[in-house]
Amino acid sequence: TMVSHGHYLVGYNVQVSADMDSTIVMGYVVSAKAEDNSQMEDVLSAVQRQSGGLSERVVADRGYGSCANAVAVKAVGIQGFLPSKAPGRKAPFKFGEDGVFRCSAGHEATQSVWTDKRSGSKYLHLRVSQCSNCPLASDCPGKGRQRAMKILDTDAGDEKHACIERCRTAEG
């Protein structure tokens, strides 16, 4: 599906997985989904079925930079390199070794569960409200007196941000 002159046209989206060294096609998927942000699981399944195995790493473009794709990569034990959809934007929270999300000033984020009524997906909604007097507020992503972020509930380990950080390394 694509938009042309304000109208939706029925079309197909082709996802191709290729070996980076040899450029041999390892698998492909044709779907009617317009976006890439939920197709990694289907692509990995196609590669497994069509080539008989999976690689150790996945490198994808910004269209794949979603929680669902990061979780799909992690679920099959592959190291993902999925760039951020908004490359200049930092996530307001990081998942610490103590199992808690914190802002850059160290404030612990409160968590609540939010369910998308259309998709049925459950998200963690994270929020910090100590921003008005925080000395780091001007450098912090977001605006106003609080910072908020939602992530897929299954992504509590912050895998999406791990995939993004891998892209920023020399290896990425």
Side-chain angles (χ1 to χ4, degrees):
T1 311
M2 58 186 220
V3 178
S4 177
H5 304 288
H7 298 341
Y8 286 95
L9 303 173
V10 176
Y12 298 97
N13 193 351
V14 179
Q15 309 298 317
V16 177
S17 175
D19 179 78
M20 289 178 60
D21 296 326
S22 67
T23 67
I24 292 174
V25 173
M26 304 303 291
Y28 68 93
V29 174
V30 179
S31 76
K33 294 178 185 175
E35 79 295 324
D36 298 339
N37 64 4
S38 65
Q39 298 208 36
M40 185 62 76
E41 188 173 0
D42 294 340
V43 172
L44 294 172
S45 178
V47 169
Q48 177 72 42
R49 188 176 62 257
Q50 294 164 2
S51 69
L54 294 171
S55 66
E56 295 175 6
R57 295 185 177 124
V58 168
V59 178
D61 63 31
R62 283 194 175 104
Y64 284 89
S66 70
C67 291
N69 286 335
V71 170
V73 169
K74 184 178 182 179
V76 294
I78 295 176
Q79 191 176 42
F81 291 81
L82 310 176
S84 173
K85 288 187 174 196
R89 189 173 145 204
K90 294 187 333 187
F93 306 108
K94 293 209 182 246
F95 190 69
E97 291 179 17
D98 58 355
V100 175
F101 284 95
R102 296 183 188 282
C103 71
S104 56
H107 300 121
E108 185 174 331
T110 59
Q111 299 182 21
S112 60
V113 177
W114 175 78
T115 303
D116 184 331
K117 291 180 180 166
R118 284 189 295 169
S119 69
S121 297
K122 289 189 176 187
Y123 293 85
L124 283 178
H125 188 247
L126 307 170
R127 183 179 316 206
V128 167
S129 299
Q130 293 99 337
C131 303
S132 58
N133 296 322
C134 180
L136 302 178
S138 62
D139 297 329
C140 187
K143 295 180 181 175
R145 296 175 297 178
Q146 66 179 358
R147 303 295 179 262
M149 178 173 93
K150 67 178 182 181
I151 58 172
L152 273 175
D153 194 20
T154 56
D155 190 30
D158 208 16
E159 184 60 24
K160 175 183 173 185
H161 298 292
C163 289
I164 291 169
E165 289 304 316
R166 278 188 213 106
C167 289
R168 295 179 178 150
T169 65
E171 189 178 21

